[in-house]
Amino acid sequence: MLNQDQPKEMSRRQFLTTVGKIGGSAALFSVMGTMGLLSPETLKAADYTPPGKSDLSLTSRNGKKNCNSRGGNCRHDRSLRAR
């Protein structure tokens, strides 16, 4: 049995979750850095490569146009109106 004087054990995850809830993300990252869980390599952002023209073209749509007015599709709206 657990004595009333002894505190319950807390896992690292529970501790960090509590720190994050109380202090926010800045406090959480600070504590994680102090505990040695974060290194400069971990915090390094990925290299940015801007999108190319091929990333922005809509070649897979086969030239079909689709307008989403009122959350619908124009071809579908026209077929409903024709009835």
Side-chain angles (χ1 to χ4, degrees):
M1 288 176 56
L2 189 66
N3 286 340
Q4 298 293 345
D5 299 335
Q6 293 177 342
K8 292 182 179 180
E9 290 185 21
M10 181 182 270
S11 70
R12 185 182 337 181
R13 180 180 296 234
Q14 291 170 331
F15 173 71
L16 291 173
T17 301
T18 304
V19 169
K21 286 180 180 178
I22 295 172
S25 60
L28 176 64
F29 283 115
S30 176
V31 169
M32 288 175 70
T34 304
M35 292 173 69
L37 298 175
L38 295 177
S39 62
E41 294 82 27
T42 307
L43 298 174
K44 184 180 176 187
D47 293 333
Y48 175 73
T49 55
K53 285 195 173 214
S54 63
D55 295 332
L56 302 175
S57 65
L58 300 176
T59 56
S60 63
R61 289 191 169 188
N62 300 326
K64 295 179 182 176
K65 293 186 179 179
N66 190 10
C67 68
N68 291 320
S69 61
R70 298 179 314 214
N73 135 359
C74 290
R75 286 175 278 142
H76 180 66
D77 289 344
R78 275 188 255 136
S79 66
L80 287 177
R81 284 188 219 130
R83 291 183 185 179

